[in-house]
Amino acid sequence: MSVASGLISGVEASVEQLVYVREDEYTVARMSADGVPDFVATGRALAGVQPGETLRIFGDWSTHPRHGRRFAVTGCERVTPSSVRAIRIYLGSGLVRGIGPRLAYAIVDHFGEATLKVIDTEPERLTEVVNIGPLRQAQIVEAWREQKAIAALMVTLQGLGVSPLLAAKIYQAFGQDADEVLATDPYRLIGRVRGIAFRIADRIALQSGVPERSPQRVKAALLDRLEAAGSRDGHCYLPVPALVRETAELIEQDQDLVRPMLDALVADRRLVVETSPDQPGQMVAYAKHVHARENALAAQLTRIAQARSTLPLRSFREDPGLHDDQRAAVTMALTSTLSIITGGPGCGKSHTVKAIATTVRAAGGTVTLTAPTGKAAKRLSELTGLPAMTVHRMLAQQPEPEPETLFDERPSQADLIVVDEASMLDLHLATRLTAAVPSGSHLLLIGDSDQLPSIGPGDVLADLLRVPDIPRVQLTHVFRQSGGSGIIDAAYRIRAGRMPETPGRGGFWFEELDDPEQVARRVAHLAMVAIPRKQGVEPAQVQVLCPMRKGETGATALGRLIQDQLNPAADDKPEHWSGATVFRVGDRVMPIRNNYDKGVFNGETGTVTDVVPAERTITIRTDDGESVQYGFDELDDLTHAYAISVHRSQGSEYPFVVAPIVAESGGIMLRRKLLYTLVTRAKAWVVLVGQREALELAVHRIGHRRNTGLARRLSLTLDS
């Protein structure tokens, strides 16, 4: 079995460490085998392997110009480790939850080569090992069975031509029923397993024998096109002709096959077809749950707007320090049960909110200040000097943990509820929010309609501004002229469709570079070295924002580049690879989903403080000081915060912002609202690096209007 001869092909080897995993699943791993010096194996065939697994690998040797001799793997099979050494590596790697290196050594020392057979067929014997009682024994057996099931799923998926990285997610969603779902109805994976949309589920289905023209397949494709329109473009509906055409293109079938299945979904009450809100002669299709929420939101907003005010306020004293439009906004908020305040940066929105809240509290009323994200709520509290919470916490009736915070016992029942950053409200959150507001309470929405709309479907703030009967005040007087004046000037120019001054005044800077690779390197250098050195701050004070997620200048690639420099791998630093993402102690991370059980919410940031393979957990400490634990199977809920998308930054402000502006992939994300949102995230400085034509494209491209029916429904109900 000589390494030099290349006879290593077909040998059983243990995965010691994952060195690198690319987005396309190309994997670099350090391997060991009996009788062979440790070596490096590479290739996409290694996708999904984990430290501790034993593989039978096939391939040949190659020489990399920088990294030297490597074994290029063309195929591999997962096998049960048989030698004492391989079994010890397997159990000590953390693959089986509850067994760490020390316990693995004790178990293997006791049972030898029969260890895995004992765990599989005589698990009660595990209690023969010191420190293993009945509870620990049961945990080990359950984890062993789960790992075996996932490994079997990986083999099944590889046979279907699907990434084995999805196996753990599928098992997590369906448990022991996973094999049956794959065999009988793979389309159930859509929406239940993150990372599986129609194309992957369809590949599994066709491989499993589902006919190309089957009703099951066509219906799944129709629902997928509607879901994609909502998640990708924020649409609540699609015109029926467009939905039929896109579905037919997706499944490469005639439109005549699609139309009857659309009618069948309507009959099954999974789709709703009705007249377009914008074009009376055209029919549009909604997913049932989206249609129901849009109707419910219109009804709730109408109820709030038409209710008789219960605000305990007979008269109020005007603040002489307010501008005329601010005084008008105060009067409106105190006299209208539903109202909106809009305005750009520096126009005094937060000061106006403080004046309104102070007036209500002085009269004996209760006030709840909220925002869609934790960062936005914290910023609202800092700017107003009053306590604020996320909308999610308000709906869960959970006050913030600080004992000094004086929230009302039932925050959603307050006399005045203020929602800042209302442009971030999507259809689903807005429906839950308005349903919780009692009749007679005042709901005041604060936002900047020129910022990006919500990530989810709908365009709630913009829709409400299209309804003339809803009171609103636009604040236009700009107070903030010093300090960040360059940022404000650039923001207002962009909002008006004009190029910002370049290089710009203090606070705004544009550095022109054409090559995307050079742009990426320059952005990383500015964030890690140049700005921290010049401004005397830590790199954590500098946030990289990216218009795109993919590409050389996308958030994924830039985040990895910065992570490798600021927090590189080290022998004494625990880490765990989750797909193509590695989490290390010291990493800056961000939850991307609200988790009420953990008490963390989308947009918060924190630092990884511990990685424990034996328990298959990662612990983070949020910037608010809370310690939160994530299982390895929950890491889809976390992303690195070294570089994030502009959408992810909504509701947040950072001292320093650096961003690439490059027309990669046609610059499809470069739009005025995105650029405006990006620039207004910075408090002290924003530095844009990239192509002038890309900057011009972003300034002048307005972007599409979302397909929504809320404005029409609300106009009809308010008039009735």
Side-chain angles (χ1 to χ4, degrees):
M1 196 74 63
S2 167
V3 173
S5 67
L7 294 178
I8 193 172
S9 187
V11 75
E12 291 184 11
S14 297
V15 181
E16 295 279 349
Q17 179 187 18
L18 292 181
V19 179
Y20 187 77
V21 183
R22 274 193 331 220
E23 285 268 294
D24 64 358
E25 299 181 357
Y26 177 86
T27 301
V28 180
R30 189 164 57 82
M31 312 279 290
S32 66
D34 291 336
V36 177
D38 288 4
F39 60 97
V40 172
T42 66
R44 295 184 64 187
L46 294 172
V49 302
Q50 289 291 316
E53 287 189 304
T54 297
L55 311 173
R56 182 174 291 112
I57 57 175
F58 304 88
D60 210 340
W61 291 99
S62 65
T63 301
H64 190 279
R66 274 180 55 199
H67 302 294
R69 194 165 172 78
R70 296 169 148 200
F71 190 77
V73 179
T74 56
C76 74
E77 301 169 355
R78 286 172 171 80
V79 297
T80 303
S82 55
S83 70
V84 168
R85 179 175 178 274
I87 294 171
R88 187 176 291 127
I89 292 172
Y90 176 72
L91 290 181
S93 67
L95 275 171
V96 180
R97 185 184 291 108
I99 301 180
R102 290 185 179 179
L103 189 56
Y105 190 94
I107 294 173
V108 177
D109 187 56
H110 186 78
F111 295 113
E113 293 182 354
T115 296
L116 299 185
K117 183 178 179 181
V118 169
I119 297 175
D120 205 29
T121 63
E122 301 177 274
E124 65 279 358
R125 290 189 59 196
L126 284 170
T127 56
E128 298 173 14
V129 180
V130 177
N131 293 329
I132 297 183
L135 181 60
R136 173 66 69 87
Q137 180 260 352
Q139 292 173 337
I140 291 172
V141 170
E142 177 61 28
W144 166 257
R145 289 173 179 165
E146 178 180 312
Q147 180 57 30
K148 281 187 66 178
I150 292 172
L153 272 178
M154 285 182 165
V155 174
T156 301
L157 292 175
Q158 281 181 313
L160 295 169
V162 175
S163 170
L165 293 174
L166 296 169
K169 299 177 186 178
I170 294 173
Y171 185 84
Q172 187 180 4
F174 294 99
Q176 298 296 329
D177 296 329
D179 283 319
E180 182 182 352
V181 171
L182 289 175
T184 61
D185 190 4
Y187 298 109
R188 287 178 60 193
L189 299 170
I190 302 171
R192 291 284 302 276
V193 180
R194 192 178 182 210
I196 296 186
F198 177 82
R199 292 188 185 277
I200 293 177
D202 192 47
R203 186 184 309 162
I204 296 171
L206 294 176
Q207 291 273 8
S208 302
V210 174
E212 290 186 354
R213 296 174 63 84
S214 70
Q216 178 190 27
R217 182 175 187 242
V218 180
K219 290 178 182 179
L222 279 162
L223 294 172
D224 174 79
R225 290 300 83 195
L226 272 180
E227 175 63 29
S231 60
R232 182 190 62 224
D233 298 318
H235 294 316
C236 292
Y237 66 78
L238 281 178
V240 167
L243 175 58
V244 170
R245 182 183 67 254
E246 290 183 21
T247 302
E249 291 173 354
L250 179 64
I251 60 176
E252 298 180 340
Q253 300 292 326
D254 295 333
Q255 294 187 23
D256 291 342
L257 178 67
V258 177
R259 291 190 185 92
M261 293 303 101
L262 188 149
D263 295 337
L265 286 171
V266 172
D268 292 342
R269 297 184 178 181
R270 299 177 70 185
L271 291 186
V272 176
V273 172
E274 64 182 26
T275 304
S276 167
D278 299 318
Q279 301 180 34
Q282 186 181 72
M283 304 302 290
V284 300
Y286 284 83
K288 181 186 176 182
H289 68 282
V290 174
H291 185 265
R293 285 189 176 95
E294 198 173 78
N295 273 305
L297 179 55
Q300 297 293 355
L301 287 167
T302 300
R303 172 185 61 80
I304 293 167
Q306 295 179 343
R308 183 176 180 180
S309 172
T310 58
L311 194 67
L313 192 68
R314 298 294 174 263
S315 62
F316 56 92
R317 184 179 303 170
E318 289 188 347
D319 184 341
L322 296 177
H323 191 266
D324 289 346
D325 54 7
Q326 290 179 306
R327 283 196 291 271
V330 172
T331 301
M332 173 192 68
L334 297 177
T335 56
S336 301
T337 50
L338 176 63
S339 59
I340 304 170
I341 297 175
T342 65
C347 64
K349 295 192 295 294
S350 299
H351 186 69
T352 306
V353 169
K354 183 176 181 179
I356 295 168
T358 301
T359 302
V360 172
R361 288 187 168 181
T366 55
V367 179
T368 296
L369 303 186
T370 71
T373 68
K375 276 286 189 70
K378 185 176 182 180
R379 178 167 159 256
L380 176 62
S381 180
E382 291 170 348
L383 291 173
T384 61
L386 300 170
M389 64 170 70
T390 64
V391 174
H392 306 284
R393 285 192 188 276
M394 183 194 79
L395 295 175
Q397 300 289 299
Q398 294 175 349
E400 297 280 350
E402 290 81 9
E404 298 83 11
T405 300
L406 303 176
F407 285 124
D408 305 302
E409 288 187 11
R410 303 180 68 195
S412 68
Q413 306 297 305
D415 297 307
L416 171 67
I417 297 172
V418 180
V419 183
D420 196 18
E421 298 288 353
S423 63
M424 298 176 65
L425 290 174
D426 65 11
L427 178 65
H428 307 309
L429 183 57
T431 303
R432 291 184 58 216
L433 165 69
T434 53
V437 177
S439 298
S441 292
H442 288 223
L443 177 62
L444 173 61
L445 303 179
I446 312 291
D448 186 343
S449 58
D450 292 300
Q451 286 192 24
L452 283 170
S454 60
I455 294 177
D459 200 356
V460 175
L461 180 62
D463 281 344
L464 267 59
L465 290 171
R466 284 195 283 270
V467 180
D469 290 338
I470 297 178
R472 84 285 308 275
V473 168
Q474 182 177 11
L475 304 181
T476 57
H477 181 76
V478 178
F479 294 89
R480 234 190 303 162
Q481 291 292 353
S482 61
S485 60
I487 295 173
I488 292 178
D489 179 68
Y492 278 96
R493 283 174 173 269
I494 292 166
R495 191 171 76 163
R498 296 158 51 206
M499 280 285 288
E501 291 182 356
T502 56
R505 291 188 285 162
F508 177 84
W509 185 267
F510 173 66
E511 183 173 323
E512 190 168 356
L513 280 175
D514 282 332
D515 180 61
E517 185 179 348
Q518 291 181 346
V519 170
R521 288 201 301 266
R522 180 58 176 162
V523 167
H525 179 76
L526 285 166
M528 294 185 296
V529 180
I531 292 177
R533 180 187 298 158
K534 184 172 183 179
Q535 300 294 332
V537 298
E538 294 296 319
Q541 296 291 99
V542 185
Q543 182 62 58
V544 175
L545 300 182
C546 301
M548 307 265 298
R549 187 178 68 83
K550 297 182 179 180
E552 285 184 283
T553 59
T556 299
L558 262 170
R560 174 170 282 191
L561 178 62
I562 296 171
Q563 179 196 26
D564 288 345
Q565 295 295 316
L566 291 182
N567 194 29
D571 291 339
D572 61 346
K573 186 183 297 180
E575 66 177 35
H576 173 71
W577 285 87
S578 176
T581 302
V582 60
F583 292 93
R584 300 185 182 112
V585 170
D587 276 338
R588 294 286 294 165
V589 294
M590 172 186 289
I592 58 175
R593 285 189 183 82
N594 302 314
N595 190 310
Y596 303 101
D597 294 333
K598 297 182 188 298
V600 295
F601 299 95
N602 183 7
E604 296 179 344
T605 50
T607 303
V608 177
T609 58
D610 205 4
V611 179
V612 185
E615 300 301 325
R616 300 187 67 76
T617 59
I618 282 177
T619 302
I620 68 170
R621 179 168 291 276
T622 69
D623 289 348
D624 291 331
E626 297 295 313
S627 185
V628 183
Q629 194 174 83
Y630 283 83
F632 283 1
D633 57 358
E634 298 178 301
L635 295 182
D636 274 353
D637 289 353
L638 286 179
T639 187
H640 284 121
Y642 296 108
I644 62 174
S645 69
V646 179
H647 276 93
R648 294 271 176 228
S649 73
Q650 285 181 269
S652 300
E653 274 192 345
Y654 311 95
F656 305 93
V657 167
V658 186
I661 303 294
V662 176
E664 286 190 277
S665 303
I668 57 174
M669 295 301 295
L670 292 177
R671 297 185 175 94
R672 186 181 301 168
K673 284 191 174 185
L674 183 140
L675 182 62
Y676 175 77
T677 303
L678 188 164
V679 169
T680 54
R681 297 310 89 203
K683 290 191 287 187
W685 273 92
V686 58
V687 181
L688 308 182
V689 182
Q691 303 157 346
R692 182 170 294 274
E693 59 268 28
L695 180 60
E696 292 175 348
L697 177 66
V699 168
H700 297 301
R701 182 189 281 169
I702 296 176
H704 69 272
R705 176 177 165 180
R706 295 184 168 188
N707 295 338
T708 67
L710 178 62
R712 184 193 66 166
R713 297 184 201 284
L714 197 50
S715 296
L716 291 174
T717 55
L718 286 173
D719 287 341
S720 61

